[in-house]
Amino acid sequence: MTTQAPQFPGAPVVRREARDKVTGTARYAADRIPAGCLYAWTVPATVAAGRVTAVRAVDALAVPGVHSVLTHDNAPRLQEPDDPILAVLQDERVPHHGMPVALVIADSLEAARTGAGELHIEYERDPHDVTLTEDHPGLYTPEEANGGFPAVRNRGDVEKALAASPVQVDATYRMDALHNHPMEPHAATAEWSDGHLTVHDSSQGSDKVRGSLAQAFGMSPDHITVVSEHVGGGFGSKGTTRPQGVLAAMAARHTGRPVKLVFPRAQLAEVVGHRAPTIQRVRLGADLDGVLTAVSHEVVTQTSTVKEFVEQAAVPARVMYASPNSRTGHRVVALDVPSPSWMRAPGEASGMYALESAMDELASALGLDPVELRLRNEPATEPDSGRPFSSRGLAACLRDGAARFGWHDRDPRPAARQEGRWLIGTGVASATYPVLVSRSTASAHAAPDGSLTIRVNATDIGTGARTVLAQIAADALGTDPAAVHVDIGSTDLPTAPLAGGSSGTASWGWAVHKAAADLAARLAGHSGPLPAEGITTTADTEQETADESPYARHAFGAHFAETAVDAVTGEVRVRRLLGVYAAGRILNARTARSQFTGGMVMGIGMALTEGCGIDPVFGDFTAKDLASYHVPVCADTADIQAHWIEEDDRHLNPMGSKGIGEIGIVGTAAAIGNAVRHATGARLRELPLTPDTLLPYLL
Amino acid sequence: MDSLALGADLEPEPVVDEHSTVTLFVNGEETTLTVDHRATVLETLRESFGLTGAKKGCDHGQCGACTVLVDERRVNSCLLLTVTQDGAVITTVEGLADGESLHPVQQAFVERDALQCGFCTPGQICSAVGMLREAADGHPSHVTGPDDATGPVALDAAEIRERMSGNLCRCGAYPRIVEAIEDVIE
Ligand code: FES
Ligand code: FES
């Protein structure tokens, strides 16, 4: 669709719930303490494949304060859930390590935990297979990759074109599993009252959770309320319904009391999804001027035996660079591992690490500046679909970023700059993320006292959704954002999609804009005092979001990194990280900057410290807690800057905005890896770039 | 469960639960209560006092979300057993503001947008308050030069980053957190 010119002010309004968050009064799912609340502790399977054959609960039940023990033998029966990972405590099968096999419910958390320690469980083990290899005999080509993308796309004759290219790159990149680890562990507090189930759940979308609970418990959604008022981050792991709500509701039904369940940190990795490990082979063919003739990106990844999830890592190669010949494909193998799922920019984050590293390798092979190489391969239309771009700001981001960063002062030779024991290098990588939007509803209300209220079941997982929705409504109503009250985070509000795919603001905002504009028109046509019930308008964007756009719609960006590598220890420090983004209209400069730089910080983790293997013998993740799985800390971040270019794109939504929550992590790891290569001359093709992997190249 | 009975003929091992009475001074208020010996200060604050500002990110001293001030020093409250804290003076994030007016660190966090999801924020703020005092008291950090180790330590960005690295923020608000703390120092 085409909209009028976006006029959005984009003021840096202060996050409206900031005061609640700095004073500790913002309530998260585990902060609810209903009267008579019991506490549940989950017991994870200690085998990777097999069956529970016996449970001895008597010792656990003898622990003072322990109320009940639930296993598959006595837990409430569920209907077949909408997501197979929610079929918890339903049968004896153990499909992966860490699957919850029992729940201990007690008067206090201490008693529940002690009880769990007293529970004796016996298993019959099946042989398990948890190791991804590029020649695994179980690999197959799925129909689709995550996001509904076709698994394979071919254009032209890539093999022939590669063979005929004077310059070629053929490189394989590897990364282990990554874990979302939002600071708030997945939690739920559930309560039944007169047949009505209320769950405070740590989720990215409570309508989605309510639907899952209704399905699992065979109930009408009208008898379920799910609240996600404040959510301590999700990064995709709370975008699909997770077992905590189902388990807490089961326990509450079984005991007749409210039940609180928080997954212990070290159990999270195996129950909330992860970014699947990938082995990615990228082949590029170019002429001597660096113009691409062939792009091939082939991804091998893993899923579980519970459900198929295929990290769509080859998809960005369908968007990025012009090439008459292209092959992008995914193959997957189902292993005895926890089910992978969404983690911030699924597909793009992994895929752009490989593609943007390969582009850097091509630039080196050509002796061409890496920024220039990318500029020479800008496509006129989306390479895979042939559709015109609604807007494409990649070249502008690369140029603007290069100028801000001081890119062109760089000596292109590798390992040419040293300061004491530090080897210094700079690197660049592009970023991209698709524009997604879903149907949403919202309402706007004007009360006789003049107050204005927006109601929409949006979820604020740290994006600043409340704030930006108030701005959007205020803009349509011609008033100040402070004058607009915004209610979000409960299924009692008008139905709305989840906070995911960087689509929240576009989806909710569109409905809010529509309801508010409608209200403004109604108010303009009204004379005299408002009726006692005020005026309410409702909006549904079913029509607006139904048709596929004739345009290819993506946000773009460019990341520049300066790294220092300790020549003695192999430690990598990111001295500077600069991102420039083209993401439509930026609706709130203050909260947008936080999202961009937050994504970049997570990219530092992906580049330098994060990665989790699976133990081939025990079949479990080897780094399950925050002492072993290293997310970035404050000292890992130095000079981190986010900038954006003004983009006027009339083919998006009434606000003219693109999503901004994920693009900050896309390409960041490649920019850092390329900078490390420039600093040291060593091209590592495996993340993370830990000292032990670098050291052999420095001696 | 009994259909799955395992070793049904064995007697359950007795588990003792022990309780003691302690007095705590929390946010200026004296309270005497009976606590389970296994209860941590974090669990007591949250579930007994209803002070849910301090968050449980890991329960293992790995994330800092539970940071509170005990006798004006920052601590991971998930690592302290309440029964050992008889007489302790505890300040949580709920106790920092002076009525309606925010503590300068809280105010700076709001102004700098030094938070996103907000889950780590109470811990970051308590940690920053404790950290400023440690520096003023002359406690050196890993990045303090040997010559600066006497008297109050001047906090530049590197010092702040180092000293705040016990508080994880998965939203990556670190750049803004450092700016907020710099604002308070100025
Ligand atoms: S909850 Fe105490 S350090 Fe994480
Ligand atoms: S603000 Fe979300 S973890 Fe720090």
Side-chain angles (χ1 to χ4, degrees):
Chain A
M1 70 155 275
T2 304
T3 67
Q4 73 281 22
Q7 290 297 332
F8 203 80
V13 175
V14 171
R15 197 179 288 269
R16 36 178 60 198
E17 75 285 6
R19 191 184 176 96
D20 293 345
K21 287 179 173 174
V22 301
T23 52
T25 56
R27 290 274 173 274
Y28 299 73
D31 297 342
R32 309 282 159 175
I33 311 170
C37 188
L38 296 172
Y39 298 79
W41 190 273
T42 42
V43 179
T46 55
V47 303
R51 272 160 301 286
V52 174
T53 53
V55 177
R56 177 182 157 98
V58 56
D59 316 85
L61 289 165
V63 170
V66 169
H67 188 290
S68 331
V69 174
L70 289 182
T71 69
H72 69 271
D73 204 38
N74 64 340
R77 294 298 94 189
L78 300 175
Q79 312 285 314
E80 187 177 337
D82 58 4
D83 183 333
I85 68 128
L86 300 176
V88 278
L89 308 185
Q90 296 301 294
D91 60 37
E92 69 282 1
R93 177 173 171 242
V94 177
H96 63 78
H97 195 282
M99 168 93 179
V101 293
L103 198 60
V104 179
I105 307 154
D107 290 334
S108 69
L109 192 66
E110 293 80 19
R113 186 177 185 166
T114 305
E118 294 296 321
L119 200 61
H120 301 281
I121 299 176
E122 282 204 352
Y123 300 91
E124 185 178 293
R125 280 171 193 267
D126 289 338
H128 62 250
D129 179 1
V130 294
T131 307
L132 176 68
T133 55
E134 57 235 87
D135 55 358
H136 196 288
L139 281 168
Y140 65 95
T141 302
E143 296 255 309
E144 287 185 343
N146 176 51
F149 296 100
V152 180
R153 294 285 289 169
N154 283 305
R155 238 179 323 115
D157 187 337
V158 97
E159 299 300 336
K160 215 164 114 189
L162 278 169
S165 299
V167 186
Q168 294 170 37
V169 167
D170 181 350
T172 300
Y173 304 90
R174 292 161 197 278
M175 39 187 286
D176 270 338
L178 297 177
H179 298 303
N180 312 59
H181 279 313
M183 288 317 303
E184 179 197 24
H186 294 51
T189 308
E191 188 166 11
W192 294 84
S193 165
D194 297 332
H196 192 97
L197 172 64
T198 302
V199 180
H200 286 86
D201 191 44
S202 176
S203 93
Q204 290 172 229
S206 54
D207 277 310
K208 170 89 188 130
V209 173
R210 177 166 73 164
S212 300
L213 292 172
Q215 169 70 26
F217 287 92
M219 296 166 65
S220 158
D222 298 343
H223 296 134
I224 304 176
T225 302
V226 180
V227 180
S228 301
E229 186 187 357
H230 292 287
V231 181
F235 313 109
S237 70
K238 297 170 182 171
T240 57
T241 310
R242 291 291 158 187
Q244 72 276 2
V246 175
L247 288 166
M250 273 183 175
R253 171 174 272 186
H254 182 82
T255 59
R257 305 249 304 262
V259 172
K260 186 190 295 197
L261 188 159
V262 184
F263 275 116
R265 177 62 63 182
Q267 292 185 23
L268 273 189
E270 295 178 326
V271 286
V272 305
H274 59 278
R275 193 192 303 288
T278 47
I279 302 169
Q280 305 182 56
R281 182 181 184 198
V282 180
R283 289 178 297 162
L284 302 175
D287 68 15
L288 293 172
D289 292 329
V291 175
L292 288 165
T293 50
V295 172
S296 170
H297 192 161
E298 293 163 299
V299 176
V300 165
T301 186
Q302 74 188 31
T303 187
S304 71
T305 63
V306 176
K307 67 190 271 194
E308 185 186 270
F309 178 94
V310 183
E311 181 87 12
Q312 73 273 32
V315 167
R318 299 174 186 171
V319 175
M320 287 305 298
Y321 302 114
S323 165
N325 303 283
S326 168
R327 174 180 168 75
T328 48
H330 304 81
R331 284 183 306 147
V332 66
V333 55
L335 300 176
D336 302 308
V337 297
S339 303
S341 187
W342 302 333
M343 177 166 163
R344 204 171 200 166
E348 279 76 19
S350 319
M352 288 291 277
Y353 162 62
L355 182 63
E356 292 301 296
S357 299
M359 286 296 278
D360 201 64
E361 298 206 33
L362 181 62
S364 300
L366 286 158
L368 187 63
D369 179 75
V371 170
E372 179 58 26
L373 173 66
R374 288 169 172 86
L375 294 175
R376 285 188 192 176
N377 287 286
E378 272 286 280
T381 57
E382 188 178 53
D384 185 62
S385 70
R387 284 181 299 180
F389 286 100
S390 66
S391 56
R392 181 176 166 106
L394 177 59
C397 291
L398 285 164
R399 290 199 179 97
D400 186 58
R404 289 176 184 276
F405 187 79
W407 174 260
H408 295 296
D409 306 339
R410 131 199 234 258
D411 178 343
R413 292 170 304 152
R417 221 176 118 195
Q418 186 153 7
E419 294 173 9
R421 61 195 260 181
W422 295 100
L423 308 170
I424 314 298
T426 54
V428 64
S430 305
T432 185
Y433 195 80
V435 171
L436 305 174
V437 66
S438 304
R439 175 185 177 185
S440 180
T441 66
S443 72
H445 176 75
D449 66 1
S451 63
L452 299 163
T453 303
I454 295 294
R455 303 175 86 235
V456 54
N457 187 18
T459 321
D460 193 332
I461 56 172
T463 55
R466 285 175 181 81
T467 314
V468 82
L469 292 175
Q471 291 177 269
I472 291 167
D475 187 43
L477 285 158
T479 184
D480 188 76
V484 182
H485 183 80
V486 176
D487 273 342
I488 65 167
S490 167
T491 55
D492 289 343
L493 300 166
T495 307
L498 58 97
S502 295
S503 68
T505 300
S507 306
W508 311 320
W510 201 333
V512 166
H513 186 274
K514 195 176 170 188
D518 198 10
L519 182 63
R522 292 272 302 277
L523 289 172
H526 187 90
S527 54
L530 295 186
E533 70 280 11
I535 298 181
T536 305
T537 57
T538 59
D540 183 338
T541 58
E542 181 177 19
Q543 290 248 298
E544 291 88 335
T545 55
D547 296 334
E548 220 192 307
S549 172
Y551 295 93
R553 303 187 295 186
H554 306 270
F556 290 92
H559 289 123
F560 294 80
E562 178 179 321
T563 60
V565 181
D566 187 326
V568 178
T569 66
E571 179 187 10
V572 181
R573 309 292 303 167
V574 177
R575 287 186 168 182
R576 290 196 292 146
L577 198 53
L578 184 146
V580 180
Y581 305 95
R585 294 282 298 181
I586 297 303
L587 304 182
N588 181 322
R590 179 187 301 255
T591 52
R593 172 168 284 109
S594 289
Q595 287 215 70
F596 286 133
T597 52
M600 292 161 82
V601 170
M602 206 180 263
I604 293 176
M606 179 176 169
L608 299 184
T609 57
E610 293 183 45
C612 184
I614 297 187
D615 185 296
V617 176
F618 292 101
D620 63 339
F621 282 123
T622 52
K624 288 198 281 280
D625 64 12
L626 295 170
S628 49
Y629 185 90
H630 294 162
V631 307
V633 301
C634 199
D636 294 323
T637 62
D639 179 358
I640 299 186
Q641 291 183 33
H643 304 274
W644 46 87
I645 59 166
E646 289 297 323
E647 225 177 20
D648 178 5
D649 185 334
R650 314 281 172 94
H651 309 294
L652 301 170
N653 55 54
M655 297 81 70
S657 65
K658 297 177 180 178
I660 57 171
E662 297 172 80
I663 194 167
I665 195 176
V666 179
T668 304
I672 293 169
N674 295 341
V676 168
R677 194 268 167 185
H678 183 228
T680 63
R683 171 72 66 185
L684 270 61
R685 299 190 178 90
E686 186 163 350
L687 293 180
L689 304 169
T690 50
D692 57 310
T693 59
L694 260 170
L695 211 46
Y697 298 91
L698 302 176
L699 297 175
Chain B
M1 212 91 38
D2 285 342
S3 66
L4 290 178
L6 171 76
D9 48 334
L10 298 175
E11 280 299 305
E13 298 200 14
V15 175
V16 214
D17 69 328
E18 305 223 44
H19 290 77
S20 294
T21 300
V22 296
T23 298
L24 302 176
F25 298 83
V26 179
N27 297 334
E29 233 175 85
E30 176 180 348
T31 306
T32 299
L33 74 168
T34 302
V35 295
D36 188 315
H37 285 191
R38 297 164 297 188
T40 60
V41 169
L42 176 62
E43 198 65 17
T44 302
L45 287 170
R46 290 177 52 83
E47 304 296 331
S48 301
F49 285 81
L51 292 170
T52 54
K55 300 292 186 247
K56 189 186 288 180
C58 69
D59 216 13
H60 282 64
Q62 299 168 351
C63 77
C66 63
T67 305
V68 300
L69 300 164
V70 175
D71 300 330
E72 297 191 37
R73 295 286 178 216
R74 53 180 174 164
V75 294
N76 287 336
S77 62
C78 70
L79 294 183
L80 287 185
L81 293 172
T82 312
V83 69
T84 67
Q85 297 301 307
D86 191 25
V89 176
I90 299 174
T91 305
T92 72
V93 73
E94 290 95 337
L96 289 177
D98 181 6
E100 280 302 292
S101 88
L102 295 177
H103 185 283
V105 174
Q106 292 174 313
Q107 187 62 38
F109 267 59
V110 171
E111 279 163 17
R112 286 288 183 172
D113 203 41
L115 58 116
Q116 293 178 47
C117 78
F119 197 80
C120 73
T121 309
Q124 302 278 3
I125 289 172
C126 288
S127 187
V129 171
M131 182 274 283
L132 291 170
R133 193 181 172 97
E134 284 161 25
D137 289 352
H139 295 202
S141 83
H142 176 65
V143 298
T144 311
D147 301 336
D148 305 333
T150 51
V153 183
L155 294 174
D156 59 10
E159 280 279 4
I160 296 171
R161 287 186 203 116
E162 175 64 27
R163 290 167 188 264
M164 290 301 292
S165 281
N167 291 82
L168 303 181
C169 176
R170 192 53 160 161
C171 296
Y174 302 127
R176 304 287 92 77
I177 290 171
V178 174
E179 289 166 1
I181 295 171
E182 285 174 330
D183 287 353
V184 174
I185 294 167
E186 271 163 18

